[in-house]
Amino acid sequence: MPAIVHFDIAADDPERAARFYHDAFDWKVTKLDGPVPYWLLGTGGDGEAAVGGGIAKREQAWQSVTPTIEVPSADAYGERIVRAGGTIVVPKVAIEGVGHLVTFKDPEGNVFAILEPAPGNPFVPPASA
C-alpha cells in the first residue's frame, strides 16, 4: 500500500527555514550539492523510524508543505489520481538518483506528490516486512 515517505517544505529563505527546524526540533539538516539548492531534514534520532523531509526555495505560489507518497508506478498512479478527481499540477519529472515525481492536487485543493523511487534511492526507507 502506498505510504507517505517524505515531505517537502517550500521556503522563501531556505537557509532561515533550515535553521528554524534545527533549532526548534533538533532535526539534522544537511545541505545537498546539486543544481538546485536543497536541505535534507533528518526528523528522527539514531535508530528511530521517521519520515524524512527537505527544504527548497519556493518557486510557485501554491507551494507550501508537500507530502510525498511512494508508489510503484508514477504513470499508473497519475492516471488513478485523475480518474479519482484529482488534477496534475506538475507532470512526471525524472530526478536523477531519486526517481520519477508527479505533483497533484486532490479534489479539495491539497497538494501532494507521488514518487516512483529509483533503484537504490537513499532518501526512501526500505519497505517494512
Side-chain angles (χ1 to χ4, degrees):
M1 175 181 302
I4 294 176
V5 295
H6 186 83
F7 62 91
D8 275 313
I9 298 170
D12 295 322
D13 184 339
E15 289 184 32
R16 178 179 60 204
R19 281 191 307 274
F20 169 80
Y21 287 102
H22 174 267
D23 294 348
F25 301 109
D26 293 323
W27 290 352
K28 181 178 178 185
V29 177
T30 305
K31 185 173 183 197
L32 299 180
D33 293 326
V36 176
Y38 193 78
W39 288 257
L40 195 62
L41 298 173
T43 63
D46 291 338
E48 293 179 339
V51 173
I55 302 170
K57 178 96 172 127
R58 184 184 332 275
E59 296 178 2
Q60 302 291 329
W62 56 261
Q63 291 175 313
S64 179
V65 176
T66 306
T68 301
I69 302 164
E70 181 181 342
V71 297
S73 168
D75 291 327
Y77 274 82
E79 291 173 9
R80 288 177 68 162
I81 287 163
V82 171
R83 279 196 314 268
T87 56
I88 303 300
V89 176
V90 179
K92 184 172 84 171
V93 143
I95 302 172
E96 186 177 337
V98 175
H100 290 94
L101 190 75
V102 175
T103 305
F104 69 96
K105 284 186 182 179
D106 71 11
E108 301 303 314
N110 300 301
V111 177
F112 286 80
I114 54 173
L115 172 68
E116 177 185 334
N121 177 331
F123 306 116
V124 176
S128 46

